[in-house]
């Protein structure tokens, strides 16, 4: 295969067979197209013994909805390389990349057939007891080992260049930090939310904080982020979870990845009111989600702190007072970016199934209003909420309103 | 000329003649080698009518003193491009680059024959009344127009890559932020200062702050810095000043350039006690320096603020509350990096003529001790010193000790 062309199912089969030993000789292969959006083609290639792999191909010069947003296929290289890098530091929770072809912008990965998409599971009020500790390990290891605590100045700079990812970052820069705070045509606002959304456009105190979070997103290359770590990028089963889809990966603020995940747990927490009719089940699920958020932060911060204490290779950053302040700053960023996720998922271009699945539009409107309120609180209070206990108190107060 | 070779005076003449119209035809050219350090060759090429140009060539794989510190000749490209970029936004105060040859790592610039090196002038207690306002204009324009306030995400990222400058940054990372705070063999410590220097090595509160300043130097690409803006990189005459020598240019924290300059004014301020015997002259010169520092910050911050108000092209950063906080943060960084400059110039590898010219070693030791003390104060109090008035009070208190 040489010059780029969109894969047919036959191409995907050939690609999978050529670049993996999994199928062996004399396998009968079949191929199913799993999805096609404006960005990527995804195929499942299987043999007659039940073994399968995934082929993902980036479409060239893809355009996002509603906007002429050109994206080069180089995002496939970045996705493959972020996953390989994260796999190096946390193989247990990163989808395995078996091959990457630059010419075809195609990635061959393991098939997570035994896993389900986290968002779907959370919408269905399913609970995975070890999820948070697994995600905490993923975050602590991938973010720590790609940071200034480990890499020398020159090595880090080389990595920053390799993962600059300007096209994909621009999408986040606009959708997260600009659109929801002005009357942008890309925004998708349910009629019930119109008034609350309009308040955002005139909320200068909030906009000043969001400006800071955007400036940090632009100019705070702390670690190699996944960059799009919401609950559709996480696959789960009873034993394990794995992270996929790292096409937005770049060097950014650590709190962005942590906050995106926590923001998604909070979205589901708020949506449970409209998703789960049975009161006992709903309360149990909300309790589960709060405990996951708590565990996620506690375990992440403990592991990251322990890595700073024990594995810091940069002499000037070995100071323990500095390291404590560093974690405190990651905490504030985490709350801020979680808040941005709540807001942009409620009034911005890309909504989440958690809220959109609520059939009663009044209930959905009430949940969305709480999401906006909580998002604002998190952003405005990110420096004053000292710890997880205070965050939990804030959530409790919100549920009483 | 093709493959790289170190220039002879003949090569430098030919290079200057080929790439400038200045000399015209039938000129008789002569060439003088102005300097040769471990990093660069510098030539002045003149014709018989008194016109002249400067040729600067980077030596390949140059090594810094005391350490095997390989530097590629790509730093010449970076130097040329930073100067061209800064010239675009502040031509009045940036040395003019006439030609750059990548193969030979050679730059042809105007000759600042009518100018003198600022450090030499300050050591001789000379005063240039318009210096600070000119430097403020240079800082405000070069830093503003290369920042996130103006450039789109993708354009900025492209520029960050172009000016990554890993080799040269590493020198600063080590010499500014690491060496002075440990017993490093590169440090140059006068015997009188030994005890005060040793205190730095055990000062964990200070080291925590310096860690933050180093982390920001590594991961806060706010604007295209000059990167080495001390008083030997500034040339002055009665009417004007021009900045040269941008080989350390890269995308970093804005306060680093501003703080380096202020740090150098402060070093000279402290050194005056040992440099200028006549009390009236000394006090006048110190008064002049304080007024320059005051004007530099006031004019820089006013101009930068006015640019943010009137020329911000990034919608999310147009918020005035955010812009006020941004300036406050640049102020804190400025004080911090000025403090680092005071300390590293006193106990680190590269000293300054201001202090080293003091012939009486006891007086010099006393001045150096004050430089360390002031450096520490600036770093530790950078968030609590709210404005220039409070900085002036700190300086006053120091002079009373």
């Amino acid at each position: 295969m040489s010059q780029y062309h969109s894969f047919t199912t036959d191409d995907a089969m050939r690609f999978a067979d050529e670049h993996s030993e999994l199928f062996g000789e004399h396998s009968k292969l079949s191929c199913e197209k799993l999805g096609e959006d404006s960005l990527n083609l995804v195929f499942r290639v299987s043999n007659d013994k039940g073994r399968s792999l995934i082929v993902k191909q980036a479409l060239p010069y893809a355009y996002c909805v509603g906007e002429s947003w050109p994206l080069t296929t180089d995002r496939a290289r970045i996705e493959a390389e972020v996953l390989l890098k994260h796999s190096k530091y946390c193989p247990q929770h990163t989808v395995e990349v078996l091959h990457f072809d630059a010419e075809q912008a195609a990635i061959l990965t393991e098939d997570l057939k035994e896993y389900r998409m986290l968002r779907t599971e959370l919408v269905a009020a399913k609970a995975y007891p070890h999820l948070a500790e697994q995600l905490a390990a993923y975050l602590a290891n991938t973010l720590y080992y790609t940071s200034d605590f480990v890499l020398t100045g020159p090595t880090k700079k080389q990595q920053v260049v390799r993962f600059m990812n300007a096209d994909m970052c621009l999408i986040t820069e606009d959708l997260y930090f600009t659109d929801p705070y002005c009357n942008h045509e890309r925004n998708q606002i349910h009629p019930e939310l119109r008034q609350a959304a309009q308040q955002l456009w005139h909320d200068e105190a909030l906009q000043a904080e969001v400006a800071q979070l955007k400036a940090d997103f632009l100019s705070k290359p702390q670690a190699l982020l996944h960059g799009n770590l919401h609950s559709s990028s996480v696959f789960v089963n009873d034993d394990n979870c794995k992270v996929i889809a790292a096409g937005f990966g770049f060097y950014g603020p650590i709190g962005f990845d942590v906050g995106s995940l926590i923001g998604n747990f909070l979205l589901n927490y708020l949506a449970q009111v409209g998703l789960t009719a049975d009161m006992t089940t709903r309360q149990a699920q909300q309790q589960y989600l709060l405990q996951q958020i708590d565990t996620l932060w506690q375990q992440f911060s403990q592991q990251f702190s322990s890595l700073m204490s024990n594995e810091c290779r940069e002499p000037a950053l070995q100071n323990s007072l500095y390291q404590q302040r560093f974690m405190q700053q990651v905490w504030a960023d985490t709350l801020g970016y979680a808040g941005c996720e709540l807001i942009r998922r409620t009034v911005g271009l890309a909504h989440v199934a958690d809220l959109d699945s609520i059939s009663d539009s009044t209930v959905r409107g009430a949940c969305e209003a709480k999401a906006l309120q909580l998002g604002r609180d998190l952003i405005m209070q990110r420096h004053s909420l000292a710890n997880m206990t205070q965050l939990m108190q804030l959530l409790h107060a919100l549920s009483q309103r």
Side-chain angles (χ1 to χ4, degrees), chain A residues 283-326:
Chain A
Q283 284 177 351
Q285 187 65 10
Q286 288 193 320
Q287 204 44 50
Y288 162 73
L289 289 163
L290 292 185
Q291 178 234 313
Q292 292 298 296
I293 292 169
D294 186 28
T295 306
L296 181 69
W297 175 259
Q298 301 305 349
Q299 297 264 332
F300 162 74
S301 58
Q302 274 167 34
Q303 286 178 47
F304 200 99
S305 298
S306 152
L307 288 167
M308 286 193 291
S309 296
N310 303 318
E311 312 245 338
C312 179
R313 294 184 206 149
E314 162 56 56
L317 305 184
Q318 282 166 4
N319 182 283
S320 66
L321 183 55
Y322 168 71
Q323 294 180 353
Q324 282 166 40
R325 289 186 195 149
F326 186 87

Side-chain angles (χ1 to χ4, degrees), chain A residues 189-323:
Chain A
I189 304 164
H190 289 130
E192 304 83 9
L193 255 272
R194 191 83 201 162
Q195 215 183 339
Q198 282 172 339
Q199 283 178 17
L200 296 175
W201 308 339
H202 302 101
D203 190 339
E204 292 193 13
L206 178 63
Q207 287 166 6
E209 300 295 339
V210 174
Q212 181 63 60
L213 291 161
K214 180 169 191 174
D216 283 357
F217 186 85
L218 289 165
S219 295
K220 195 166 165 179
Q222 290 181 324
L224 180 59
L225 308 188
H226 177 280
N228 198 27
L229 200 54
H230 51 73
S231 44
S232 306
S233 300
V234 178
F235 276 64
V236 279
N237 65 23
D238 290 337
D239 306 318
N240 197 19
C241 78
K242 291 216 177 197
V243 170
I244 66 159
F248 284 80
F250 80 111
Y251 262 84
I254 286 173
F256 185 78
D257 266 5
V258 188
S260 297
L261 261 185
I262 290 184
N264 275 268
F265 281 121
L266 289 171
L267 282 163
N268 190 269
Y269 169 85
L270 296 172
Q272 284 301 327
V273 173
L275 291 172
T276 307
D278 177 70
M279 209 49 168
T280 317
T281 316
R282 183 200 296 174
Q283 284 177 351
Q285 187 65 10
Q286 288 193 320
Q287 204 44 50
Y288 162 73
L289 289 163
L290 292 185
Q291 178 234 313
Q292 292 298 296
I293 292 169
D294 186 28
T295 306
L296 181 69
W297 175 259
Q298 301 305 349
Q299 297 264 332
F300 162 74
S301 58
Q302 274 167 34
Q303 286 178 47
F304 200 99
S305 298
S306 152
L307 288 167
M308 286 193 291
S309 296
N310 303 318
E311 312 245 338
C312 179
R313 294 184 206 149
E314 162 56 56
L317 305 184
Q318 282 166 4
N319 182 283
S320 66
L321 183 55
Y322 168 71
Q323 294 180 353

Side-chain angles (χ1 to χ4, degrees), chain A residues 335-393:
Chain A
L335 296 180
Y337 290 118
C340 292
E341 176 72 354
L342 286 171
I343 291 175
R344 73 116 181 172
R345 292 298 199 172
T346 307
V347 298
L349 171 66
H351 284 220
V352 285
D354 312 59
L355 288 166
D356 277 4
S357 308
I358 301 173
S359 47
D360 182 322
S361 70
T362 310
V363 176
R364 193 196 57 215
C367 291
E368 290 184 336
K370 285 207 172 168
L372 286 191
Q373 182 59 53
L374 178 57
R376 187 184 193 280
D377 288 348
L378 291 177
I379 293 169
M380 296 304 293
Q381 298 174 40
R382 68 194 195 282
H383 296 293
S384 53
L385 288 171
N387 51 42
M388 188 50 78
T389 312
Q390 295 188 4
L391 172 61
M392 292 296 159
Q393 284 163 358

